[in-house]
Amino acid sequence: MQAVKKDSLEMLRKEILDLQGLGIRPDSEQVNVPLGEILENMPGGVFPTGAIHEFLSPTLTSAAAATGFIAAIIHSLMQSGKPCVWISTRRMIFPPAIRVFGIEPDRFIFIDTPREKEAFWAIEEALRCESLCAVIGEIATLDFKESRRLQLAVESSRVTGFINRRFPHRITSTACVARWQVQPVNSKATIGLPGLAFPRWKVELLKIRSGRPASWLLEWSGNAFHTVVNENPQQSMLPNLKTGVA
Amino acid sequence: MSRFISIWFRHLLTDGYALGQPSLKDIPFVMAAPERGRMMIQAANAKAEADGVRAGMVVADARAIFPALHVVDAIEGTENGLLEMLGEWCLRYTPDVAIDAPDGLILNISGCPHLWGGERAYLKDLVLKIRAMGYDARAAIADTIGAAWAIARFGTVTPIINQNCQKEALSPLPPTALRLDQAIADRLHKLGLYTIGSFIDMPRPTLRRRFGQEMIIRIEQALGSLTESLKPIRPVSPYEERLPSMDGIRTAKGIEIAIRKLLQGLCLRLSKEGKGLRAAVLTCYRMDNEVQQVILSTSRPSRDVEHLFKLFELKIPSIRPALGIELFLLEATVTEDLNVTKEMLWSVSRKDETAVAELLDKIAGKIGEDKIHRFLPDERHWPENSYKEAASLEEKPTTAWRTDRLRPVCLLPEPVRIEVSVPIPDYPPLLFRYKNRPYRIVRADGPERIEQEWWLTDGLHRDYYSVEDESGARYWLFRSGHYNDEHSAWYLHGFFA
């Protein structure tokens, strides 16, 4: 009886996900994004592709951290060989730097638009194009109506959209599947060694449709994310729990 | 019965040259080209010929006769270009025009002269117009190409030879009028056969034995018993489609339909010829004599009606029909070969590649082509120069992207001047001020010296430090020049992820 109940609940959950446009895709379409522990909070335990992810970046440094985080995710999305479009009103990305995250910068197409309105139009057009793997938009404003348009566009084309909102004026609710905030955190070097250690970010999943919001401390080292479990300096000397391979 | 005009340009080269150099119009000049180590005259204008200078003379000899002779260099192959140009111009008189190298044109005018009111008026109009253009021309009409050619060059009585009268007309002319080789003509002259009439009635086998088959062919071609074929000029027609409308078109929907119709015609032709459109101009002629133009270009050759229509669709709002548009004219100004097996864009399928190119065209149409970039690594020292713009979507990097050094994901377009406190030379700063806020540095790496490229510019080197502040944010700072140097200054250049 218990088992039957559980099964039917599972079925219902899947149906709801399908209706929300977050249904489990066939294996060929599924992308394994090595986010480790974070995936447990995602709908169905899979990184939602074909959805809009919104990043709030109130400062330039958090915008840079979010850029790094997005680049690391895109690395696994780009395995399909499709190109990626980067649309921004004020482009600051330094193409040679994203090579560190395992992606070829020459497979990106950068579009610089003078105004937000045109940037939004370009993002929407790009999201409708099924032949792209991801679209990254750097704009400041995104209201509910606009986010709804973007979300509808990706639900038919299955392109993953990342909107990095630099200096967001007004944070209202949006129709995006996920809302993130990435902030840099002090790195912890192995005791006795000078200089910078591996970059660390505090990744906050503020909102996720059909998932659980949470916050993690991530470290990017050896081409993979590592969740930092304990802030104890003795512990961090040991190799961290490896949660994913890029 | 066919009728032909042969036009002979007596001074084709010099006339053509003088048209571009009006100062030469009234002075004797020749065009010469080196041949076996001497300058041979290729063409002489009418004034020079009057002074006794002929084509085929050596320039030095000509100068001996006429010391003030003006000599210009002849460019090989110009006569063909001139004849083609004139031939295309002659297409207004007949659809069948052929080049008769080196200095003439042949027009098949069967069925055309009555439009000008008879052969005489037709010939007069043609010759006068060519002379008005600046070319010294002679023309003659006859039943056969051979006869027309002979009369145009050697005829003295009338330029129009009536039907079936070519034999009588040819009889008083010299043998060279039959387009014979110089050797045969010389032999005829030696034998005392000074006119065509003196040998045209001789038995053919006799003539063949003495002068060869070629002469028989020439005689029969001139008399009309052997037909001669023409290789007509076909002008390259522009990639152009026109669509007139009886009532003026005023609505966006109407313009859409018109554009779609024009594109269908144009794309059909492009696909037949294996071409793709790179740039097009749509001209709308309005009823009030105003002209509206829309210009578009594509990032790669395309002949897809839907795609091109989408590009035009974005521009329809800029067309102002006012009272109505009565004529649409679509012209492909730039076309390129579009073969199906073109190098693939990265590793995606052909369908994806086209879709991406079409998306970019659409964005370029609205925002501008200069706003779309793709970057390739460049082997330069300074970070802002370490990548370059790719020329096309297909261009592949020639060198690998560098990964040996950590670089910031965000780079400021221009390094921003900051104030720092650095107590020890060549050590990273303890503190820096950016936008009126202090940042205390807790960790740092560096310096990494990046030199100027001395073969390009002079200037100070940069010492880069990667630093982390108390909040964990990482910055890329540099000092230009040496520590405590009077020119040295500190800058913030980027943000690490």
Side-chain angles (χ1 to χ4, degrees):
Chain A
M1 188 63 198
Q2 199 73 25
V4 175
K5 208 171 177 182
K6 207 176 173 189
D7 275 359
S8 47
L9 268 176
E10 212 38 53
M11 286 281 285
L12 281 171
R13 273 203 194 104
K14 264 188 188 159
E15 261 176 50
I16 290 170
L17 283 180
D18 274 339
L19 287 175
Q20 285 179 327
L22 294 168
I24 309 295
R25 298 279 139 189
D27 282 345
S28 58
E29 270 190 47
Q30 261 189 37
V31 184
N32 178 29
V33 181
L35 281 173
E37 228 169 78
I38 296 180
L39 289 180
E40 288 167 22
N41 291 37
M42 300 279 176
V46 199
F47 184 82
T49 53
I52 300 286
H53 295 260
E54 182 190 6
F55 288 80
L56 300 180
S57 308
T59 57
L60 272 177
T61 48
S62 65
T67 306
F69 185 68
I70 294 169
I73 294 173
I74 283 180
H75 164 68
S76 34
L77 296 179
M78 280 187 108
Q79 302 301 328
S80 62
K82 290 177 177 176
C84 190
V85 174
W86 201 301
I87 299 158
S88 50
T89 45
R90 276 188 308 156
R91 182 165 49 83
M92 273 176 59
I93 174 108
F94 182 51
I98 50 175
R99 183 70 191 84
V100 176
F101 298 98
I103 39 187
E104 298 290 336
D106 49 282
R107 279 175 53 196
F108 279 85
I109 297 160
F110 296 95
I111 297 167
D112 301 335
T113 59
R115 278 178 293 277
E116 289 256 316
K117 207 177 134 205
E118 284 160 347
F120 180 78
W121 175 83
I123 292 170
E124 198 187 335
E125 284 298 325
L127 284 173
R128 280 182 206 287
C129 180
E130 290 168 23
S131 305
L132 298 175
C133 79
V135 176
I136 300 136
E138 291 181 318
I139 48 176
T141 50
L142 186 75
D143 62 24
F144 185 80
K145 209 170 90 192
E146 288 173 335
S147 64
R148 187 91 198 105
R149 287 180 70 115
L150 299 185
Q151 182 64 31
L152 284 175
V154 293
E155 275 172 23
S156 59
S157 66
R158 308 300 305 161
V159 178
T160 315
F162 297 91
I163 305 292
N164 190 2
R165 294 177 63 185
R166 275 193 303 210
F167 313 115
H169 305 315
R170 214 153 33 93
I171 299 161
T172 51
S173 65
T174 56
C176 301
V177 163
R179 176 182 276 177
W180 304 78
Q181 181 153 23
V182 187
Q183 272 169 328
V185 176
N186 269 106
S187 60
K188 283 281 181 323
T190 315
I191 289 173
L193 288 183
L196 299 182
F198 295 116
R200 274 187 188 189
W201 304 314
K202 186 181 167 206
V203 177
E204 284 170 282
L205 186 53
L206 300 172
K207 226 182 69 182
I208 172 104
R209 205 192 291 171
S210 312
R212 288 191 308 279
S215 156
W216 299 270
L217 210 59
L218 284 194
E219 188 174 85
W220 175 263
S221 61
N223 284 341
F225 283 116
H226 304 272
T227 339
V228 182
V229 266
N230 203 322
E231 269 297 86
N232 193 330
Q234 266 103 45
Q235 285 258 330
S236 68
M237 265 180 75
L238 301 168
N240 283 312
L241 172 70
K242 197 162 182 175
T243 51
V245 183
Chain B
M1 192 72 206
S2 298
R3 297 287 280 168
F4 294 92
I5 285 188
S6 170
I7 308 171
W8 177 37
F9 300 97
R10 275 193 285 193
H11 306 287
L12 177 71
L13 275 178
T14 49
D15 285 348
Y17 190 81
L19 279 180
Q21 309 269 335
S23 59
L24 291 173
K25 212 172 161 188
D26 296 320
I27 60 166
F29 78 98
V30 293
M31 300 181 76
E35 199 178 300
R36 289 191 210 156
R38 37 198 194 150
M39 291 298 278
M40 294 286 281
I41 295 175
Q42 304 290 320
N45 72 348
K47 287 246 160 40
E49 281 189 350
D51 287 323
V53 180
R54 302 248 173 281
M57 286 171 96
V58 181
V59 170
D61 295 348
R63 281 237 166 89
I65 305 169
F66 186 65
L69 189 67
H70 187 81
V71 181
V72 293
D73 287 338
I75 301 156
E76 212 179 322
T78 33
E79 63 264 6
N80 253 335
L82 286 170
L83 284 176
E84 244 168 63
M85 187 269 290
L86 288 163
E88 277 181 28
W89 180 84
C90 286
L91 283 172
R92 68 187 63 191
Y93 288 97
T94 163
D96 218 0
V97 177
I99 286 177
D100 176 25
D103 54 3
L105 291 172
I106 306 279
L107 280 62
N108 183 349
I109 58 159
S110 320
C112 297
H114 74 275
L115 298 168
W116 273 262
E119 286 184 346
R120 192 159 293 279
Y122 182 85
L123 188 70
K124 196 176 160 196
D125 188 69
L126 173 67
V127 172
L128 284 183
K129 281 209 171 120
I130 291 180
R131 286 198 183 146
M133 281 161 74
Y135 291 93
D136 183 10
R138 269 174 65 110
I141 299 180
D143 275 358
T144 62
I145 295 170
W149 194 93
I151 304 297
R153 282 159 181 81
F154 298 93
T156 46
V157 187
T158 167
I160 298 169
I161 307 303
N162 290 334
Q163 289 194 354
N164 298 322
C165 295
Q166 51 269 33
K167 194 170 170 186
E168 294 77 53
L170 285 173
S171 290
L173 303 185
T176 32
L178 281 176
R179 296 180 284 173
L180 295 175
D181 265 0
Q182 195 55 45
I184 300 175
D186 286 349
R187 212 178 312 152
L188 285 165
H189 194 82
K190 210 185 238 172
L191 294 170
L193 303 167
Y194 302 129
T195 60
I196 295 173
S198 57
F199 60 83
I200 202 158
D201 287 325
M202 285 186 186
R204 295 287 143 87
T206 321
L207 285 175
R208 182 182 295 122
R209 203 169 61 238
R210 299 243 172 164
F211 306 104
Q213 179 66 20
E214 197 213 324
M215 181 162 159
I216 306 294
I217 292 174
R218 286 308 194 192
I219 292 174
E220 291 191 344
Q221 279 177 344
L223 295 180
S225 43
L226 196 72
T227 49
E228 201 176 335
S229 59
L230 284 180
K231 195 173 156 233
I233 293 178
R234 289 268 168 266
V236 189
S237 54
Y239 292 93
E240 197 179 83
E241 287 285 323
R242 30 200 314 133
L243 184 73
S245 61
M246 297 295 272
D247 317 312
I249 287 181
R250 277 184 300 198
T251 57
K253 190 76 198 163
I255 297 175
E256 271 175 29
I257 294 168
I259 292 175
R260 210 176 266 277
K261 266 197 176 165
L262 290 169
L263 280 172
Q264 273 160 0
L266 189 69
C267 290
L268 193 68
R269 185 173 160 208
L270 288 169
S271 66
K272 267 185 201 154
E273 294 176 23
K275 299 265 186 192
L277 182 148
R278 279 299 307 269
V281 181
L282 174 74
T283 318
C284 307
Y285 293 88
R286 266 172 25 186
M287 284 183 147
D288 52 357
N289 284 336
E290 289 287 313
V291 175
Q292 299 270 305
Q293 266 198 338
V294 170
I295 298 168
L296 67 82
S297 60
T298 60
S299 61
R300 36 192 291 138
S302 164
R303 51 172 182 243
D304 180 5
V305 176
E306 279 310 309
H307 168 54
L308 294 172
F309 177 71
K310 271 186 201 141
L311 298 183
F312 271 117
E313 205 179 12
L314 293 171
K315 310 231 170 172
I316 289 177
S318 69
I319 302 173
R320 310 210 168 280
L323 290 171
I325 296 164
E326 54 182 2
L327 175 68
F328 292 92
L329 186 77
L330 177 67
E331 194 185 351
T333 44
V334 184
T335 55
E336 266 179 25
D337 288 336
L338 175 60
N339 36 6
V340 184
T341 52
K342 216 179 170 186
E343 202 191 349
M344 291 256 217
L345 168 73
W346 313 309
S347 56
V348 299
S349 67
R350 172 116 209 118
K351 190 180 126 267
D352 285 344
E353 190 188 332
T354 326
V356 173
E358 287 177 359
L359 168 76
L360 294 182
D361 283 348
K362 201 169 176 188
I363 291 173
K366 176 136 175 167
I367 298 168
E369 207 163 339
D370 53 328
K371 303 288 196 307
I372 298 177
H373 310 277
R374 214 185 126 230
F375 299 112
L376 296 179
D378 201 2
E379 288 177 323
R380 300 277 301 269
H381 284 180
W382 279 20
E384 52 264 55
N385 298 334
S386 64
Y387 60 95
K388 62 181 175 194
E389 178 101 37
S392 70
L393 279 181
E394 280 91 14
E395 198 181 343
K396 296 237 157 49
T398 46
T399 52
W401 292 95
R402 279 185 68 170
T403 49
D404 53 342
R405 295 274 177 189
L406 195 64
R407 289 283 179 260
V409 278
C410 290
L411 199 73
L412 291 166
E414 285 276 308
V416 180
R417 193 76 183 264
I418 48 169
E419 290 163 42
V420 293
S421 68
V422 200
I424 317 167
D426 288 333
Y427 258 61
L430 288 179
L431 189 92
F432 74 89
R433 266 187 106 77
Y434 168 58
K435 285 192 177 168
N436 275 334
R437 228 199 87 186
Y439 295 85
R440 189 171 296 280
I441 290 162
V442 290
R443 295 170 187 286
D445 259 343
E448 177 195 347
R449 177 161 296 182
I450 303 185
E451 288 281 358
Q452 285 274 14
E453 289 151 328
W454 53 262
W455 56 96
L456 294 175
T457 43
D458 291 330
L460 299 171
H461 63 256
R462 292 173 176 182
D463 282 336
Y464 276 95
Y465 294 89
S466 321
V467 299
E468 186 177 309
D469 74 356
E470 285 167 314
S471 71
R474 293 155 170 239
Y475 306 90
W476 209 29
L477 313 178
F478 74 85
R479 183 192 60 222
S480 70
H482 292 285
Y483 180 80
N484 256 359
D485 192 65
E486 56 178 321
H487 300 297
S488 81
W490 282 84
Y491 295 89
L492 171 66
H493 203 182
F495 303 91
F496 287 96

